[in-house]
Amino acid sequence: MLSARHLTVMAGQRRLIDDVSIDVRPGEMLALIGPNGAGKTTLLRALSGDIDAACDAVSCNGRPLRHIPAAELATLRAVHAQHQRSDLDYTAQQVVALGRFPHHGGRPGADDRAIARAAMALTGCEAMADRLCSTLSGGEQARVHLARALAQIWRGTPGAHFLLLDEPVAALDIAWQHRVLACARDRAHSRMTGVLAIVHDLNLAARYADRLVLLADGRIRADGAPFEVLQSAALADAFGLDCRVWIDPHTSRPLLMAEPAA
Amino acid sequence: MNLRSVELPRIGPPAGMTLWLLAVALIGAVVHALGSGAVDLPAATVVSALLGQQVGSDADLVIWTLRLPRVLLGVIAGAGMGIAGAAMQGLMRNPLADPGLVGVSSGAALAAAAVVILGERAMSTGGWAASALLPLTAFAGAALTTALVYAASRRNGRSSVTLMLLSGIAINALAMSGIGLLLFMGSDAQVRQFTFWTLGSLAGATWPGVIAAAVAVGVALALLLRKAGPLDALALGEAQAAHLGVAVGTLNRACVVLIALSVGATTALTGTIGFIGLIAPHLARRLAGPSHHMLLPASALAGALLVVLADSAARTWVSPAELPIGVLTALFGAPFFMLLLRRRAAQEH
């Protein structure tokens, strides 16, 4: 389990994250939702171990991040950041193979290359394998970096492992938005990976996540099954929306229609 | 399809083969360089002299005492500047980084010139301590300027091209004014050495110098090769590299020290030969691809090849006089740099 307990992150006098406790559970897909500036990316970075001051309040499989060496942590959790360098002169395949770096520490072996290819198949980038990343579109690059994150935690190391995705579908077309979130959910269910994904489209989040966590002003305002969270007053309040929720008879998932509150 | 950049795929044979081809080209250039000069020697004579089959002959004397130290110094200096450039480009995630352009070579030259002019008495006592003083000070000067440029070009945990080049201009100007001040205090003979520090020369090659530089560059190359994987990961960005388990702070510091070692050792013996650290890694990247496992050795070979060719040309074009080698490398290097700038500008807009 990847957990934060009473996590507070300050920037000067401002509380970006204010006394947040959250668990990312193996085998569960969690979508983190919330308005712009709510602190979603900050929370994800704290859970990733990026924020030094937060490394005592965050623990992975029971050990505070402070006590897990970076090289070991890299075999336990992979991170997909929202912004990636767009001028890389490495080929897509080389970039995905870099996801295996924590496992080989130097040069990728045959095994690592096989995993890289399999990860690329999952995000549909096999055809771009030999193209330079700098020549790919934004959405294609996002899929390459997703494949890199998948390759990083491809095989369950002993103990649970985690996938942290910051807006993984922001640059993708609608078909790939569905495919990528379905893929993340399947990794969670079939490989006992704990997935946390920041998703702006609430219907997409509700369609694929097992649990929604609503963050606003650095605090958790709602945490529960998609249907409950979409219906909550907290959601309408956080976004300033008038919401109507019903169930899609086809998927049995909640659907939200919303407009700005009068 | 995005139109921001033109696809520039790797050219030529597989990366491993490229290293062998570069090595063969380098050997050819070395044999050619050993054969050319005031007395032209045919390649067969050069090779047999190298194999020790001409002991006692004039050719043997010319090659072993006059030309070989100089050519080997060129090989080592070129290799050192090549790997320093490749490592600096990797460290700054920026293909325009070059130890010469950003002032690292000037920093090393300033420190070395300070020792030569201010420490003349210490140097004249002779011995190993005195001969080690020059490279060590040059190394310290290089380390200081590398760290300075690295710190000055960072903003919010990222390295900025503009800041790097501008701080490089400032550091270069500072180092040059420092060298100028030292010359003002120096003797006429020392003033004549000015061109050595600013335009470089391989003419002062001695066997002890060659061996010292070989050790320094060899150590830098061996240790940088162990950082090849982390440098590849660093290309993704510092946060991304940290997510992959790279100890980014340690890697950055190690690179700064190893770049300084390589640049310091070569600058102490050859002065500043510009642009090799810029051109060699670009050539290597086109031939061997961006992965540092291949890029570092390929940059070493390409740098060595460029310096040996440039020195041959410098020695023979206006024979019996000699062009400063830095004039030649700048003649080709500066337009090349302009070309890179234009291409980068085209990518950004």
Side-chain angles (χ1 to χ4, degrees):
Chain A
M1 194 138 75
L2 184 64
S3 314
R5 285 288 169 272
H6 303 293
L7 171 70
T8 297
V9 178
M10 309 285 293
Q13 292 300 306
R14 252 164 54 81
R15 286 172 183 268
L16 301 181
I17 296 293
D18 189 1
D19 194 24
V20 162
S21 296
I22 187 172
D23 291 324
V24 184
R25 301 177 190 128
E28 184 181 67
M29 164 104 168
L30 184 160
L32 185 59
I33 58 174
N36 294 139
K40 301 185 293 297
T41 295
T42 306
L43 179 55
L44 184 139
R45 290 183 55 223
L47 290 168
S48 308
D50 284 3
I51 301 173
D52 191 58
C55 283
D56 291 309
V58 178
S59 66
C60 182
N61 298 334
R63 293 157 67 199
L65 293 192
R66 171 92 53 219
H67 300 312
I68 306 181
E72 185 189 344
L73 187 60
T75 63
L76 297 175
R77 66 94 185 87
V79 184
H80 172 78
Q82 191 181 346
H83 298 292
Q84 304 285 352
R85 203 181 147 184
S86 62
D87 59 348
L88 275 177
D89 56 6
Y90 289 74
T91 63
Q93 175 148 21
Q94 285 174 317
V95 168
V96 177
L98 279 176
R100 299 299 299 166
F101 176 78
H103 305 276
H104 57 70
R107 253 182 230 253
D111 192 35
D112 299 307
R113 284 195 294 273
I115 289 173
R117 275 195 298 276
M120 293 178 87
L122 278 186
T123 62
C125 10
E126 311 105 303
M128 328 164 192
D130 293 322
R131 287 180 59 194
L132 295 184
C133 259
S134 54
T135 66
L136 300 175
S137 77
E140 289 170 329
Q141 292 190 15
R143 276 151 53 197
V144 168
H145 287 287
L146 273 167
R148 172 166 65 81
L150 290 174
Q152 187 178 344
I153 49 161
W154 191 255
R155 241 172 239 147
T157 35
H161 51 284
F162 303 92
L163 186 58
L164 305 174
L165 307 170
D166 193 351
E167 297 200 29
V169 300
L172 305 183
D173 68 44
I174 187 163
W176 277 108
Q177 291 182 359
H178 282 274
R179 283 187 200 132
V180 160
L181 289 178
C183 168
R185 179 200 57 196
D186 293 344
R187 303 298 291 180
H189 293 173
S190 67
R191 308 238 174 174
M192 291 302 283
T193 305
V195 179
L196 179 145
I198 296 176
V199 181
H200 269 297
D201 184 325
L202 299 179
N203 283 322
L204 266 179
R207 170 78 177 79
Y208 292 101
D210 301 309
R211 183 156 70 102
L212 295 187
V213 171
L214 170 68
L215 197 70
D217 295 326
R219 286 166 174 267
I220 290 182
R221 306 291 172 164
D223 178 349
F227 186 71
E228 296 164 34
V229 173
L230 287 197
Q231 273 204 319
S232 66
L235 183 104
D237 187 47
F239 287 97
L241 288 174
D242 279 334
C243 300
R244 299 185 297 280
V245 179
W246 62 90
I247 300 289
D248 176 351
H250 185 61
T251 61
S252 311
R253 289 283 177 163
L255 276 174
L256 175 88
M257 278 298 289
E259 50 206 81
Chain B
M1 184 67 206
N2 91 29
L3 299 173
R4 273 178 307 131
S5 49
V6 184
E7 187 135 9
L8 281 174
R10 211 172 58 69
I11 51 174
M17 178 94 88
T18 302
L19 290 186
W20 287 109
L21 290 176
L22 275 171
V24 169
L26 177 60
I27 290 169
V30 165
V31 169
H32 171 260
L34 288 173
S36 53
V39 184
D40 278 328
L41 298 171
T45 314
V46 171
V47 172
S48 75
L50 284 179
L51 294 175
Q53 293 164 354
Q54 307 243 339
V55 180
S57 73
D58 285 350
D60 189 70
L61 187 76
V62 165
I63 284 178
W64 281 93
T65 58
L66 294 178
R67 293 187 188 165
L68 195 55
R70 177 173 185 149
V71 172
L72 282 184
L73 183 62
V75 168
I76 293 157
M81 286 183 276
I83 57 169
M88 195 152 203
Q89 291 170 13
L91 171 69
M92 302 220 169
R93 293 181 295 288
N94 172 357
L96 295 179
D98 163 56
L101 280 175
V102 302
V104 176
S105 306
S106 317
L110 172 62
V115 169
V116 168
I117 291 178
L118 300 178
E120 198 168 23
R121 196 162 305 142
M123 298 286 289
S124 64
T125 58
W128 274 101
S131 56
L133 187 62
L134 190 64
L136 281 178
T137 334
F139 165 68
L144 200 69
T145 34
T146 311
L148 199 65
V149 171
Y150 179 70
S153 60
R154 283 168 65 84
R155 205 170 42 186
N156 306 326
R158 296 178 57 185
S159 177
S160 147
V161 189
T162 318
L163 277 177
M164 178 197 77
L165 291 175
L166 291 179
S167 49
I169 291 175
I171 288 170
N172 261 323
L174 198 65
M176 281 305 151
S177 79
I179 292 178
L181 183 67
L182 288 167
L183 288 169
F184 175 72
M185 297 156 63
S187 65
D188 279 354
Q190 288 167 335
V191 171
R192 244 172 279 127
Q193 281 199 328
F194 186 68
T195 51
F196 173 72
W197 294 115
T198 53
L199 296 171
S201 169
L202 299 174
T206 57
W207 279 110
V210 167
I211 290 162
V215 170
V217 171
V219 166
L221 177 60
L223 294 181
L224 278 172
L225 272 177
R226 297 178 55 169
K227 301 286 180 195
L231 276 171
D232 282 341
L234 191 66
L236 298 169
E238 290 197 359
Q240 282 78 356
H243 293 152
L244 289 170
V246 174
V248 175
T250 313
L251 175 65
N252 288 351
R253 282 189 293 276
C255 284
V256 166
V257 170
L258 294 174
I259 290 167
L261 178 64
S262 197
V263 175
T266 55
T267 304
L269 293 167
T270 68
T272 57
I273 303 174
F275 293 101
I276 301 297
L278 181 72
I279 303 174
H282 274 90
L283 203 61
R285 206 173 282 116
R286 291 294 301 278
L287 294 170
S291 169
H292 287 83
H293 295 288
M294 285 294 160
L295 181 63
L296 286 164
S299 298
L301 289 169
L305 182 62
L306 289 172
V307 170
V308 170
L309 289 177
D311 188 51
S312 291
R315 278 191 299 142
T316 50
W317 277 6
V318 292
S319 176
E322 200 176 289
L323 277 175
I325 183 172
V327 169
L328 273 179
T329 58
L331 207 61
F332 293 103
F336 180 77
F337 177 63
M338 298 290 286
L339 201 75
L340 287 178
L341 272 183
R342 283 200 65 85
R343 220 172 71 195
R344 192 177 174 87
Q347 278 176 24
E348 279 174 358
H349 296 293

